[in-house]
Amino acid sequence: MNQLIEKLKKRWEIETIGQLILILFIFSITGMTALYVRKFAFGWLGIDEHTALWVEVIAWVGTVFPAYQVLFLFYGFVLGQFEFVWRFEKKSLQRITGMLKRSSGS
């Protein structure tokens, strides 16, 4: 367990176990809040168990994914870890755009 903690601290460029716990908490509350956003957005859009999967996927990408990103930044700011969260977001978005560019053949 100690090796995992040290590996995460090194990978995420953080110094204390307190920061690590706080960052894991930020991931957790962001995910839980995103579930509420999904429930609200899907209800508002009229998506239910009879909706085609492709419609759900498009709705998820259009609502929940961006909401998660904003919530992650918000919670990181409120809990004093904005620098880490911003750096993490930039890396994640660079990976996503890189995958999209490779899949489009550019």
Side-chain angles (χ1 to χ4, degrees):
M1 181 67 140
N2 200 25
Q3 288 177 332
L4 176 62
I5 291 170
E6 292 304 317
K7 185 178 178 180
L8 285 174
K9 284 171 51 179
K10 183 178 179 184
R11 179 178 180 157
W12 288 348
E13 300 172 14
I14 56 176
E15 297 176 13
T16 67
I17 193 160
Q19 278 183 290
L20 178 63
I21 291 169
L22 193 54
I23 289 166
L24 293 174
F25 178 71
I26 292 168
F27 278 113
S28 176
I29 60 174
T30 302
M32 288 187 291
T33 307
L35 290 175
Y36 287 107
V37 169
R38 181 192 178 278
K39 184 177 180 179
F40 172 77
F42 278 31
W44 185 73
L45 294 169
I47 295 174
D48 59 17
E49 65 273 0
H50 303 294
T51 305
L53 179 61
W54 67 271
V55 173
E56 286 188 49
V57 170
I58 291 171
W60 186 89
V61 169
T63 59
V64 180
F65 180 74
Y68 183 93
Q69 308 311 310
V70 171
L71 289 166
F72 189 52
L73 291 168
F74 172 75
Y75 287 131
F77 175 76
V78 169
L79 295 172
Q81 295 298 316
F82 185 78
E83 182 181 328
F84 166 80
V85 169
W86 183 244
R87 193 171 60 242
F88 190 90
E89 279 289 307
K90 287 192 295 188
K91 284 181 186 177
S92 297
L93 292 174
Q94 286 173 347
R95 285 186 197 121
I96 290 169
T97 56
M99 287 188 322
L100 292 174
K101 286 179 183 176
R102 282 193 300 270
S103 68
S104 68
S106 297

Coordinates of all heavy atoms in Angstrom, one line a residue, residues 21-91:
I21 N -5.0 12.4 -0.2 CA -6.3 12.1 0.3 C -7.3 13.1 -0.2 O -8.4 12.8 -0.6 CB -6.3 12.0 1.9 CG1 -5.5 10.7 2.3 CG2 -7.7 12.0 2.4 CD1 -5.2 10.7 3.8
L22 N -6.9 14.4 -0.2 CA -7.8 15.4 -0.6 C -8.1 15.3 -2.1 O -9.2 15.5 -2.6 CB -7.2 16.8 -0.3 CG -8.0 18.0 -0.5 CD1 -9.3 17.9 0.4 CD2 -7.3 19.3 0.0
I23 N -7.1 15.0 -2.9 CA -7.3 14.8 -4.3 C -8.2 13.6 -4.6 O -9.1 13.7 -5.5 CB -5.9 14.7 -5.0 CG1 -5.2 16.0 -5.0 CG2 -6.1 14.1 -6.5 CD1 -3.7 15.9 -5.4
L24 N -8.0 12.5 -3.9 CA -8.9 11.4 -4.1 C -10.3 11.7 -3.7 O -11.3 11.3 -4.3 CB -8.4 10.2 -3.3 CG -7.0 9.6 -3.8 CD1 -6.5 8.5 -2.8 CD2 -7.2 9.0 -5.2
F25 N -10.5 12.5 -2.7 CA -11.8 13.0 -2.2 C -12.4 13.9 -3.4 O -13.6 13.7 -3.6 CB -11.7 13.8 -0.9 CG -13.0 14.4 -0.5 CD1 -14.0 13.5 0.0 CD2 -13.2 15.7 -0.5 CE1 -15.2 14.1 0.5 CE2 -14.4 16.3 -0.1 CZ -15.4 15.4 0.4
I26 N -11.6 14.7 -4.0 CA -12.1 15.5 -5.1 C -12.6 14.7 -6.2 O -13.7 14.9 -6.8 CB -11.0 16.5 -5.6 CG1 -10.8 17.6 -4.5 CG2 -11.4 17.2 -6.9 CD1 -9.5 18.4 -4.7
F27 N -11.8 13.6 -6.6 CA -12.3 12.7 -7.6 C -13.6 12.1 -7.2 O -14.5 11.9 -8.0 CB -11.3 11.6 -7.9 CG -10.1 12.0 -8.8 CD1 -8.9 12.1 -8.3 CD2 -10.4 12.2 -10.1 CE1 -7.8 12.5 -9.2 CE2 -9.3 12.6 -11.0 CZ -8.1 12.7 -10.5
S28 N -13.7 11.7 -6.0 CA -14.9 11.0 -5.5 C -16.2 11.9 -5.5 O -17.2 11.5 -6.1 CB -14.7 10.5 -4.0 OG -15.8 10.0 -3.5
I29 N -16.1 13.1 -5.0 CA -17.2 14.0 -5.0 C -17.6 14.5 -6.4 O -18.8 14.7 -6.6 CB -17.1 15.1 -4.0 CG1 -15.9 16.0 -4.3 CG2 -17.1 14.6 -2.5 CD1 -15.9 17.3 -3.4
T30 N -16.6 14.6 -7.2 CA -16.9 15.0 -8.6 C -17.7 13.9 -9.3 O -18.7 14.2 -9.9 CB -15.6 15.3 -9.4 OG1 -14.9 16.3 -8.7 CG2 -15.9 15.7 -10.8
G31 N -17.3 12.6 -9.1 CA -18.0 11.5 -9.7 C -19.4 11.4 -9.1 O -20.4 11.2 -9.9
M32 N -19.6 11.6 -7.8 CA -20.9 11.5 -7.3 C -21.8 12.6 -7.7 O -23.0 12.4 -8.1 CB -20.8 11.5 -5.7 CG -20.3 10.2 -5.2 SD -20.4 10.1 -3.4 CE -19.1 11.3 -2.9
T33 N -21.3 13.8 -7.9 CA -22.1 14.9 -8.3 C -22.4 14.7 -9.8 O -23.5 15.1 -10.2 CB -21.3 16.3 -8.2 OG1 -20.9 16.4 -6.8 CG2 -22.1 17.5 -8.5
A34 N -21.5 14.2 -10.6 CA -21.8 13.9 -12.0 C -23.0 13.0 -12.1 O -23.8 13.1 -13.1 CB -20.6 13.4 -12.7
L35 N -23.1 12.0 -11.2 CA -24.3 11.1 -11.3 C -25.6 11.9 -11.1 O -26.6 11.6 -11.8 CB -24.2 10.1 -10.2 CG -23.1 9.0 -10.4 CD1 -23.1 8.1 -9.1 CD2 -23.4 8.2 -11.6
Y36 N -25.6 12.9 -10.2 CA -26.8 13.8 -10.1 C -27.0 14.6 -11.3 O -28.2 14.8 -11.7 CB -26.7 14.7 -8.8 CG -26.8 13.9 -7.6 CD1 -25.7 13.7 -6.7 CD2 -28.0 13.4 -7.1 CE1 -25.8 13.0 -5.5 CE2 -28.2 12.7 -6.0 CZ -27.1 12.5 -5.2 OH -27.2 11.8 -4.0
V37 N -26.0 15.1 -11.9 CA -26.1 15.9 -13.2 C -26.7 15.0 -14.2 O -27.6 15.4 -15.0 CB -24.7 16.4 -13.6 CG1 -24.8 17.0 -15.0 CG2 -24.2 17.5 -12.7
R38 N -26.2 13.7 -14.3 CA -26.8 12.8 -15.3 C -28.3 12.5 -15.1 O -29.1 12.6 -16.0 CB -26.0 11.5 -15.3 CG -26.5 10.5 -16.3 CD -25.9 9.1 -16.0 NE -26.4 8.1 -16.9 CZ -27.6 7.5 -16.8 NH1 -28.4 7.8 -15.8 NH2 -28.0 6.6 -17.7
K39 N -28.6 12.3 -13.9 CA -30.0 12.0 -13.5 C -30.9 13.2 -13.9 O -31.9 13.1 -14.6 CB -30.2 11.7 -12.1 CG -31.6 11.3 -11.7 CD -31.6 11.0 -10.2 CE -33.0 10.6 -9.8 NZ -33.1 10.3 -8.4
F40 N -30.5 14.4 -13.6 CA -31.2 15.6 -13.9 C -31.3 15.8 -15.4 O -32.4 16.1 -16.0 CB -30.6 16.8 -13.2 CG -31.2 18.1 -13.7 CD1 -32.4 18.5 -13.2 CD2 -30.6 18.9 -14.6 CE1 -33.0 19.7 -13.6 CE2 -31.1 20.1 -15.0 CZ -32.4 20.5 -14.5
A41 N -30.1 15.8 -16.1 CA -30.1 16.1 -17.5 C -30.9 15.0 -18.3 O -31.6 15.4 -19.2 CB -28.6 16.1 -18.0
F42 N -30.7 13.8 -18.0 CA -31.4 12.7 -18.7 C -32.9 12.8 -18.5 O -33.7 12.6 -19.4 CB -30.9 11.3 -18.3 CG -29.6 10.9 -19.1 CD1 -28.7 11.9 -19.5 CD2 -29.4 9.6 -19.3 CE1 -27.5 11.5 -20.1 CE2 -28.2 9.2 -20.0 CZ -27.3 10.2 -20.4
G43 N -33.3 13.2 -17.3 CA -34.7 13.4 -17.0 C -35.3 14.6 -17.8 O -36.4 14.5 -18.4
W44 N -34.5 15.6 -17.8 CA -34.9 16.8 -18.6 C -35.0 16.6 -20.1 O -35.9 17.1 -20.7 CB -33.9 18.0 -18.3 CG -34.3 19.3 -18.9 CD1 -35.3 20.1 -18.5 CD2 -33.7 19.9 -20.0 NE1 -35.3 21.2 -19.2 CE2 -34.3 21.1 -20.2 CE3 -32.6 19.6 -20.8 CZ2 -34.0 22.0 -21.2 CZ3 -32.2 20.5 -21.8 CH2 -32.9 21.7 -22.0
L45 N -34.1 15.7 -20.6 CA -34.1 15.4 -22.0 C -35.1 14.3 -22.3 O -35.3 14.0 -23.5 CB -32.7 15.0 -22.4 CG -31.6 16.1 -22.4 CD1 -30.3 15.5 -22.6 CD2 -31.9 17.1 -23.4
G46 N -35.7 13.7 -21.3 CA -36.7 12.6 -21.6 C -36.1 11.3 -21.9 O -36.7 10.4 -22.5
I47 N -34.8 11.1 -21.5 CA -34.2 9.8 -21.7 C -34.5 8.9 -20.6 O -34.4 9.2 -19.4 CB -32.6 10.0 -21.8 CG1 -32.3 10.9 -23.0 CG2 -31.9 8.7 -21.8 CD1 -30.9 11.3 -23.1
D48 N -35.0 7.7 -21.0 CA -35.3 6.6 -20.0 C -34.8 5.3 -20.5 O -34.0 5.2 -21.5 CB -36.9 6.6 -19.8 CG -37.7 6.4 -21.0 OD1 -37.1 5.9 -22.0 OD2 -38.9 6.6 -21.0
E49 N -35.4 4.2 -19.9 CA -34.9 2.9 -20.3 C -35.3 2.4 -21.7 O -34.7 1.5 -22.2 CB -35.4 1.8 -19.2 CG -36.9 1.6 -19.2 CD -37.6 2.6 -18.3 OE1 -36.9 3.5 -17.7 OE2 -38.8 2.5 -18.2
H50 N -36.2 3.2 -22.3 CA -36.6 2.8 -23.7 C -35.8 3.6 -24.7 O -36.0 3.4 -25.9 CB -38.1 3.1 -23.9 CG -38.9 2.3 -22.9 ND1 -39.0 1.0 -22.8 CD2 -39.7 2.8 -21.8 CE1 -39.8 0.6 -21.9 NE2 -40.2 1.7 -21.2
T51 N -35.0 4.5 -24.3 CA -34.2 5.3 -25.2 C -33.1 4.5 -25.8 O -32.4 3.7 -25.2 CB -33.6 6.6 -24.5 OG1 -34.7 7.3 -23.9 CG2 -32.9 7.5 -25.5
A52 N -32.8 4.7 -27.1 CA -31.8 4.0 -27.8 C -30.4 4.3 -27.2 O -30.2 5.5 -26.8 CB -31.8 4.4 -29.3
L53 N -29.5 3.4 -27.2 CA -28.2 3.5 -26.6 C -27.4 4.7 -27.2 O -26.8 5.4 -26.5 CB -27.4 2.2 -26.6 CG -26.0 2.3 -26.0 CD1 -26.0 2.6 -24.6 CD2 -25.3 1.0 -26.2
W54 N -27.5 4.8 -28.5 CA -26.7 5.8 -29.2 C -27.2 7.2 -28.8 O -26.4 8.1 -28.7 CB -26.8 5.6 -30.7 CG -28.1 5.8 -31.4 CD1 -29.1 4.9 -31.6 CD2 -28.6 7.1 -31.9 NE1 -30.2 5.5 -32.2 CE2 -29.9 6.8 -32.3 CE3 -28.1 8.4 -31.9 CZ2 -30.7 7.8 -32.9 CZ3 -28.9 9.4 -32.5 CH2 -30.2 9.1 -33.0
V55 N -28.5 7.4 -28.5 CA -29.0 8.7 -28.0 C -28.4 8.9 -26.6 O -28.0 10.1 -26.3 CB -30.5 8.7 -28.0 CG1 -31.0 10.0 -27.4 CG2 -31.1 8.5 -29.4
E56 N -28.4 7.9 -25.8 CA -27.9 8.1 -24.4 C -26.4 8.4 -24.4 O -25.9 9.3 -23.7 CB -28.0 6.8 -23.6 CG -29.4 6.5 -23.2 CD -29.5 5.3 -22.2 OE1 -28.8 5.3 -21.2 OE2 -30.4 4.5 -22.4
V57 N -25.6 7.8 -25.3 CA -24.2 8.1 -25.4 C -24.0 9.6 -25.9 O -23.2 10.3 -25.3 CB -23.5 7.1 -26.4 CG1 -22.1 7.6 -26.7 CG2 -23.5 5.7 -25.8
I58 N -24.7 10.0 -26.9 CA -24.6 11.4 -27.3 C -25.0 12.3 -26.2 O -24.3 13.4 -26.0 CB -25.5 11.6 -28.6 CG1 -24.8 10.9 -29.8 CG2 -25.6 13.1 -28.9 CD1 -25.7 10.8 -31.0
A59 N -26.1 12.0 -25.5 CA -26.5 12.9 -24.4 C -25.4 12.9 -23.3 O -25.2 14.0 -22.7 CB -27.8 12.4 -23.8
W60 N -24.8 11.8 -23.0 CA -23.8 11.7 -22.0 C -22.6 12.5 -22.4 O -22.1 13.3 -21.6 CB -23.4 10.2 -21.7 CG -22.4 10.1 -20.6 CD1 -22.8 9.9 -19.3 CD2 -21.0 10.1 -20.6 NE1 -21.6 9.8 -18.5 CE2 -20.5 10.0 -19.3 CE3 -20.1 10.3 -21.7 CZ2 -19.2 10.0 -19.0 CZ3 -18.8 10.3 -21.3 CH2 -18.3 10.2 -20.0
V61 N -22.2 12.4 -23.6 CA -21.0 13.1 -24.1 C -21.3 14.6 -24.1 O -20.4 15.5 -23.8 CB -20.6 12.7 -25.5 CG1 -19.5 13.6 -26.1 CG2 -20.0 11.3 -25.4
G62 N -22.5 15.0 -24.4 CA -22.9 16.4 -24.5 C -23.2 17.1 -23.1 O -23.1 18.3 -23.0
T63 N -23.5 16.3 -22.1 CA -23.9 16.9 -20.8 C -23.0 16.4 -19.7 O -22.4 17.3 -19.0 CB -25.4 16.5 -20.5 OG1 -25.6 15.1 -20.4 CG2 -26.4 17.1 -21.5
V64 N -22.9 15.2 -19.4 CA -22.2 14.7 -18.3 C -20.7 14.9 -18.4 O -20.1 15.3 -17.4 CB -22.6 13.2 -18.0 CG1 -21.9 12.7 -16.8 CG2 -24.1 13.0 -17.8
F65 N -20.1 14.6 -19.5 CA -18.7 14.7 -19.6 C -18.2 16.1 -19.4 O -17.3 16.4 -18.6 CB -18.2 14.2 -21.0 CG -16.8 14.3 -21.2 CD1 -15.9 13.4 -20.6 CD2 -16.2 15.3 -22.1 CE1 -14.5 13.5 -20.8 CE2 -14.9 15.4 -22.3 CZ -14.0 14.5 -21.6
P66 N -18.8 17.2 -20.0 CA -18.4 18.5 -19.8 C -18.7 19.0 -18.3 O -17.9 19.7 -17.7 CB -19.1 19.4 -20.8 CG -19.9 18.5 -21.6 CD -19.8 17.1 -21.1
A67 N -19.8 18.5 -17.8 CA -20.2 18.8 -16.4 C -19.1 18.3 -15.5 O -18.7 19.0 -14.5 CB -21.6 18.3 -16.1
Y68 N -18.7 17.1 -15.7 CA -17.6 16.5 -14.9 C -16.4 17.3 -14.9 O -15.8 17.6 -13.8 CB -17.3 15.0 -15.3 CG -16.3 14.4 -14.4 CD1 -16.7 13.6 -13.4 CD2 -14.9 14.5 -14.6 CE1 -15.8 13.0 -12.5 CE2 -14.0 13.9 -13.8 CZ -14.4 13.2 -12.8 OH -13.5 12.6 -11.9
Q69 N -16.0 17.8 -16.0 CA -14.8 18.6 -16.1 C -14.9 19.9 -15.3 O -14.0 20.3 -14.6 CB -14.4 18.9 -17.6 CG -14.4 17.7 -18.5 CD -13.6 16.6 -18.0 OE1 -12.4 16.7 -17.6 NE2 -14.1 15.4 -18.1
V70 N -16.0 20.6 -15.5 CA -16.3 21.8 -14.7 C -16.3 21.6 -13.2 O -15.7 22.3 -12.4 CB -17.5 22.5 -15.3 CG1 -17.9 23.7 -14.4 CG2 -17.4 22.9 -16.7
L71 N -17.0 20.5 -12.8 CA -17.1 20.2 -11.4 C -15.8 19.8 -10.8 O -15.5 20.2 -9.7 CB -18.1 19.0 -11.2 CG -19.6 19.3 -11.4 CD1 -20.4 18.0 -11.6 CD2 -20.1 20.2 -10.3
F72 N -15.0 19.1 -11.6 CA -13.6 18.8 -11.1 C -12.8 20.0 -10.8 O -12.2 20.1 -9.8 CB -13.0 17.9 -12.2 CG -11.7 17.2 -11.7 CD1 -11.6 16.5 -10.6 CD2 -10.6 17.3 -12.6 CE1 -10.4 15.9 -10.2 CE2 -9.4 16.7 -12.2 CZ -9.3 16.0 -11.0
L73 N -12.9 21.0 -11.8 CA -12.1 22.2 -11.6 C -12.7 23.0 -10.4 O -12.0 23.6 -9.6 CB -12.2 23.1 -12.8 CG -11.4 22.6 -14.0 CD1 -11.8 23.3 -15.3 CD2 -9.9 22.6 -13.8
F74 N -14.0 23.0 -10.3 CA -14.7 23.7 -9.2 C -14.3 23.2 -7.8 O -13.8 23.9 -6.9 CB -16.2 23.7 -9.3 CG -17.0 24.2 -8.2 CD1 -17.0 25.6 -7.9 CD2 -17.6 23.4 -7.3 CE1 -17.7 26.1 -6.8 CE2 -18.3 23.9 -6.2 CZ -18.3 25.2 -5.9
Y75 N -14.4 21.9 -7.7 CA -14.0 21.2 -6.4 C -12.6 21.4 -6.1 O -12.2 21.6 -4.9 CB -14.4 19.8 -6.3 CG -15.9 19.5 -6.2 CD1 -16.6 18.7 -7.1 CD2 -16.7 20.2 -5.3 CE1 -17.9 18.4 -7.0 CE2 -18.1 20.0 -5.1 CZ -18.7 19.1 -6.0 OH -20.0 18.9 -5.9
G76 N -11.7 21.3 -7.1 CA -10.3 21.5 -6.9 C -10.0 22.9 -6.4 O -9.2 23.1 -5.5
F77 N -10.7 23.9 -7.0 CA -10.5 25.3 -6.5 C -11.0 25.5 -5.1 O -10.3 26.0 -4.3 CB -11.3 26.2 -7.5 CG -11.3 27.7 -7.1 CD1 -10.1 28.4 -7.2 CD2 -12.4 28.2 -6.4 CE1 -10.1 29.8 -6.8 CE2 -12.4 29.5 -6.0 CZ -11.2 30.3 -6.2
V78 N -12.2 25.0 -4.8 CA -12.8 25.2 -3.5 C -11.9 24.5 -2.4 O -11.8 25.0 -1.3 CB -14.2 24.6 -3.5 CG1 -14.8 24.6 -2.0 CG2 -15.1 25.5 -4.3
L79 N -11.4 23.3 -2.7 CA -10.6 22.6 -1.8 C -9.1 22.8 -1.8 O -8.3 22.1 -1.2 CB -10.9 21.1 -1.9 CG -12.4 20.7 -1.6 CD1 -12.6 19.3 -2.0 CD2 -12.7 21.0 -0.1
G80 N -8.7 23.9 -2.6 CA -7.3 24.3 -2.5 C -6.3 23.5 -3.4 O -5.1 23.5 -3.1
Q81 N -6.9 22.7 -4.3 CA -6.0 21.9 -5.1 C -6.1 22.2 -6.6 O -5.9 21.4 -7.5 CB -6.3 20.4 -4.9 CG -6.0 19.9 -3.5 CD -4.6 20.0 -3.2 OE1 -3.7 19.6 -4.0 NE2 -4.3 20.5 -2.0
F82 N -6.4 23.5 -6.9 CA -6.6 23.9 -8.3 C -5.4 23.7 -9.2 O -5.6 23.2 -10.3 CB -7.1 25.4 -8.3 CG -7.5 25.8 -9.7 CD1 -8.7 25.4 -10.2 CD2 -6.6 26.5 -10.5 CE1 -9.1 25.8 -11.5 CE2 -6.9 26.8 -11.8 CZ -8.2 26.5 -12.3
E83 N -4.2 23.9 -8.7 CA -3.0 23.7 -9.5 C -2.9 22.3 -10.0 O -2.7 22.0 -11.1 CB -1.8 24.1 -8.7 CG -0.5 24.0 -9.4 CD 0.7 24.3 -8.6 OE1 0.6 25.2 -7.7 OE2 1.8 23.7 -8.9
F84 N -3.1 21.3 -9.0 CA -3.1 19.9 -9.4 C -4.2 19.6 -10.4 O -4.0 19.0 -11.5 CB -3.2 19.0 -8.2 CG -3.5 17.6 -8.6 CD1 -2.5 16.7 -9.1 CD2 -4.8 17.1 -8.6 CE1 -2.8 15.4 -9.5 CE2 -5.1 15.8 -9.1 CZ -4.1 15.0 -9.5
V85 N -5.4 20.0 -10.1 CA -6.6 19.7 -10.9 C -6.4 20.3 -12.3 O -6.7 19.6 -13.4 CB -7.9 20.2 -10.3 CG1 -9.1 20.1 -11.2 CG2 -8.2 19.4 -9.0
W86 N -6.0 21.5 -12.4 CA -5.8 22.2 -13.7 C -4.7 21.4 -14.6 O -4.9 21.2 -15.7 CB -5.4 23.6 -13.5 CG -5.2 24.4 -14.8 CD1 -4.1 24.9 -15.3 CD2 -6.2 24.7 -15.8 NE1 -4.3 25.6 -16.5 CE2 -5.7 25.4 -16.8 CE3 -7.6 24.4 -15.8 CZ2 -6.4 25.9 -17.9 CZ3 -8.3 24.8 -16.9 CH2 -7.7 25.6 -18.0
R87 N -3.6 21.0 -13.9 CA -2.6 20.3 -14.6 C -3.1 18.9 -15.1 O -2.9 18.5 -16.2 CB -1.4 20.1 -13.6 CG -0.1 19.6 -14.3 CD 1.1 19.7 -13.3 NE 0.9 18.8 -12.1 CZ 0.8 19.3 -10.9 NH1 1.0 20.6 -10.6 NH2 0.7 18.5 -9.9
F88 N -3.9 18.3 -14.2 CA -4.5 17.0 -14.6 C -5.4 17.1 -15.7 O -5.5 16.3 -16.6 CB -5.2 16.4 -13.3 CG -5.6 15.0 -13.5 CD1 -4.8 13.9 -13.1 CD2 -6.9 14.7 -14.0 CE1 -5.2 12.6 -13.3 CE2 -7.3 13.3 -14.1 CZ -6.4 12.3 -13.8
E89 N -6.3 18.1 -15.7 CA -7.3 18.4 -16.8 C -6.5 18.6 -18.1 O -6.9 18.1 -19.1 CB -8.1 19.6 -16.5 CG -9.2 19.4 -15.5 CD -10.3 18.5 -16.2 OE1 -10.8 18.9 -17.3 OE2 -10.7 17.5 -15.6
K90 N -5.5 19.4 -18.1 CA -4.8 19.7 -19.3 C -4.2 18.4 -19.9 O -4.3 18.2 -21.1 CB -3.7 20.8 -19.1 CG -4.2 22.2 -18.9 CD -3.2 23.2 -19.0 CE -2.2 23.1 -17.8 NZ -1.3 24.2 -17.8
K91 N -3.6 17.6 -19.1 CA -3.0 16.4 -19.6 C -4.1 15.4 -20.1 O -3.9 14.8 -21.2 CB -2.3 15.6 -18.4 CG -0.9 16.2 -18.1 CD -0.3 15.4 -17.0 CE 1.0 16.1 -16.5 NZ 1.6 15.3 -15.3

